[in-house]
Amino acid sequence: MGNPFDDKAASWDENPRRIKLVENVWADLEKQLDFTNIRSVLDYGCGTGLLGYKMADRVRHLTFCDVSKPMLEQVERKREQYGYRHVETLWTDFTRDQLPASKFDLIVSMLVLHHVAELEKLLMAFHELLTPKGLFAWIDLGEEDGSFHSHDESIPHKGFSKNGKEALLKRYGMEMVYYTNALKITKEIEGVYREYPLFVMLAKKKSPL
């Protein structure tokens, strides 16, 4: 079975609600980040790089990772368009494949982890890849009734509760240092636009596993 996001890559950036959502997330996240201490960033499940490229002029090294080659091709097209020499792409899945040798001061992942069945394995990978006191920015759905994905049973998580996230992160050596659920994501469901809760969370690497 092919990746369901492959066919969406070419038109991904044409959705104005998606662009606005990323702008809103970045407006919140930027206030929480001190880029004097952030040199290397990983955008995991990056799509076309909408969020990661917001940081391109603030860091020394920026890595985009996704399981969709067409999405990464869009990232690479932007890299050539803007002339970035400090941007690289990785076509890989951290729950299955070997981890890169690089370490990162910041890992960001937006609307990705609710798709990941082996969430614990991925968080272990993030912990390993973070530098000491590195940060993980997790942006995702709050708890919802499953309608966001039209009750698709193949989606392993129907959003996440704050307490559940905090306990999970603590188990894998990270401590929540910032959290807000003030943002919303709007999606058309059966011809009707619905709002869903979206959280922005920062966790700091605290301890070895």
Side-chain angles (χ1 to χ4, degrees):
M1 180 183 294
N3 188 302
F5 290 97
D6 288 355
D7 294 337
K8 302 176 182 179
S11 60
W12 191 254
D13 293 359
E14 296 173 7
N15 185 331
R17 291 192 305 278
R18 179 173 293 125
I19 301 298
K20 181 62 176 175
L21 180 65
V22 172
E23 290 176 352
N24 290 341
V25 166
W26 175 239
D28 183 83
L29 192 59
E30 184 182 20
K31 296 174 187 174
Q32 313 305 322
L33 298 172
D34 179 3
F35 279 94
T36 60
N37 298 317
I38 298 173
R39 299 182 179 183
S40 57
V41 173
L42 168 68
D43 185 348
Y44 187 81
C46 62
T48 61
L50 288 172
L51 181 58
Y53 270 124
K54 298 288 188 186
M55 309 175 215
D57 295 325
R58 311 282 288 274
V59 299
R60 294 185 180 181
H61 195 262
L62 179 58
T63 301
F64 291 94
C65 179
D66 208 283
V67 295
S68 168
K69 275 189 173 181
M71 287 290 189
L72 290 176
E73 288 169 0
Q74 295 299 313
V75 172
E76 291 162 357
R77 180 186 62 80
K78 293 176 184 178
R79 178 180 61 190
E80 299 307 312
Q81 178 182 349
Y82 296 115
Y84 287 127
R85 296 183 178 273
H86 64 310
V87 168
E88 70 170 346
T89 57
L90 287 175
W91 181 50
T92 189
D93 178 346
F94 287 176
T95 67
R96 297 182 307 183
D97 305 323
Q98 184 174 348
L99 299 181
S102 303
K103 300 295 182 182
F104 303 95
D105 300 312
L106 173 66
I107 296 175
V108 300
S109 192
M110 179 172 172
L111 289 169
V112 174
L113 271 63
H114 68 272
H115 289 277
V116 178
E118 296 181 276
L119 187 57
E120 292 83 358
K121 191 171 183 179
L122 182 59
L123 292 175
M124 286 178 66
F126 286 172
H127 183 277
E128 181 175 339
L129 291 171
L130 283 171
T131 56
K133 298 184 180 179
L135 293 168
F136 167 41
W138 184 358
I139 304 101
D140 215 324
L141 291 168
E143 289 183 294
E144 51 99 14
D145 61 4
S147 61
F148 186 85
H149 288 289
S150 302
H151 301 284
D152 183 347
E153 294 300 323
S154 70
I155 305 298
H157 308 285
K158 296 178 176 64
F160 302 94
S161 70
K162 181 182 179 182
N163 290 341
K165 291 189 294 290
E166 194 165 14
L168 191 59
L169 290 167
K170 195 170 186 178
R171 191 185 316 158
Y172 292 99
M174 290 180 273
E175 180 182 33
M176 187 183 298
V177 294
Y178 173 75
Y179 178 86
T180 180
N181 60 357
L183 298 178
K184 304 291 182 184
I185 179 170
T186 304
K187 187 174 183 180
E188 185 177 1
I189 306 294
E190 297 179 351
V192 177
Y193 286 99
R194 290 188 56 179
E195 284 191 341
Y196 294 87
L198 186 82
F199 65 84
V200 177
M201 184 222 69
L202 275 176
K204 180 181 286 189
K205 181 175 178 177
K206 296 292 288 185
S207 61
L209 296 180

